[in-house]
Each structure stands twice: as C-alpha cells, then as structure tokens.
Amino acid sequence: QVQLQESGPGLVKPSQTLSLTCTVSGGSITTSYYAWSWIRQPPGKGLEWMGAVEYSGSTHYSPSLKSRTSISRDTSKNQFTLQLSSVTPEDTAVYYCARDQTYGSSWYDYWGQGTQVTVSS
C-alpha cells in the first residue's frame, strides 16, 4: 500500500518561499512510469495541478506557476519537495501530493491527506 504524507510549515509570510515535502512509503518514486505531483485547492475553488517530477527525475510545471515553482526529489529518502517563491495570500490553499500513473494521465491513484498552508503576515 502506497502512502504519501505532506509536511511543512502551515503559515508562510508574503514574499517568502513556501517549501513542502512529500514522503512516500510503500513504493519507490523511481519506479517506472509514475509521476509524482503537487496539487492545491484554494478555499472555495477547484483543484489546481502545480507540477510533477517523473520517475526519471524529469520535472514539469504548470505554465501559470512555472516562474515561481521548483520541484526536486531525494531518492535516498524517497521524498519529493515543492518550493513556491514570492507567495501571496492567493497561494493560501490545501496542498496535496499525489501519484500519477504516468505523467499527463491525470489518473491519481494515491494522495496525501493534504496540508493547509496559509499565507499571511
């Protein structure tokens, strides 16, 4: 059974960088052909895909967030990390990590429980 768990600060000040880590257990993030995504849901809005890192290490980003987003991974810890720079209150959301069957399929079979991040001074 694959499990994903998000971790990171729940409160970030405007203009700072938000950093979240997803720890994966029960499966390797290097296993073909999975992609590991970050998805968020602002209050009262729908889900927004932010970006992903593939099993190979290739990364992909939402065009609307690409200039502020970086996703990396630590294969030794079976973790992948999201960094979102220059945050504003509009980045307040529940942030999820999820496994995609393959990049671009949008077939997410495992999700973390989500972590609330609030951007406020």
Side-chain angles (χ1 to χ4, degrees):
Q1 178 77 2
V2 176
Q3 294 183 316
L4 294 85
Q5 178 67 57
E6 305 92 349
S7 59
L11 180 64
V12 183
K13 294 185 184 302
S15 80
Q16 292 187 341
T17 295
L18 178 164
S19 183
L20 297 174
T21 296
C22 183
T23 301
V24 179
S25 60
S28 173
I29 63 173
T30 62
T31 299
S32 305
Y33 296 94
Y34 297 119
W36 304 86
S37 289
W38 286 100
I39 297 166
R40 68 181 181 179
Q41 185 168 29
K45 298 184 178 181
L47 295 170
E48 179 184 21
W49 178 82
M50 302 181 68
V53 55
E54 292 190 66
Y55 68 98
S56 60
S58 297
T59 53
H60 307 275
Y61 302 103
S62 166
S64 64
L65 296 171
K66 186 174 182 178
S67 64
R68 299 195 292 130
T69 307
S70 178
I71 296 175
S72 59
R73 67 178 187 171
D74 185 335
T75 57
S76 67
K77 296 180 179 179
N78 217 34
Q79 296 175 331
F80 61 107
T81 298
L82 168 73
Q83 290 193 310
L84 182 66
S85 63
S86 304
V87 297
T88 72
E90 286 67 43
D91 293 309
T92 293
V94 178
Y95 285 75
Y96 299 93
C97 55
R99 188 179 81 169
D100 196 352
Q101 284 290 298
T102 188
Y103 171 65
S105 76
S106 297
W107 182 11
Y108 302 104
D109 56 355
Y110 291 100
W111 293 71
Q113 65 183 20
T115 187
Q116 173 70 48
V117 177
T118 300
V119 179
S120 175
S121 56

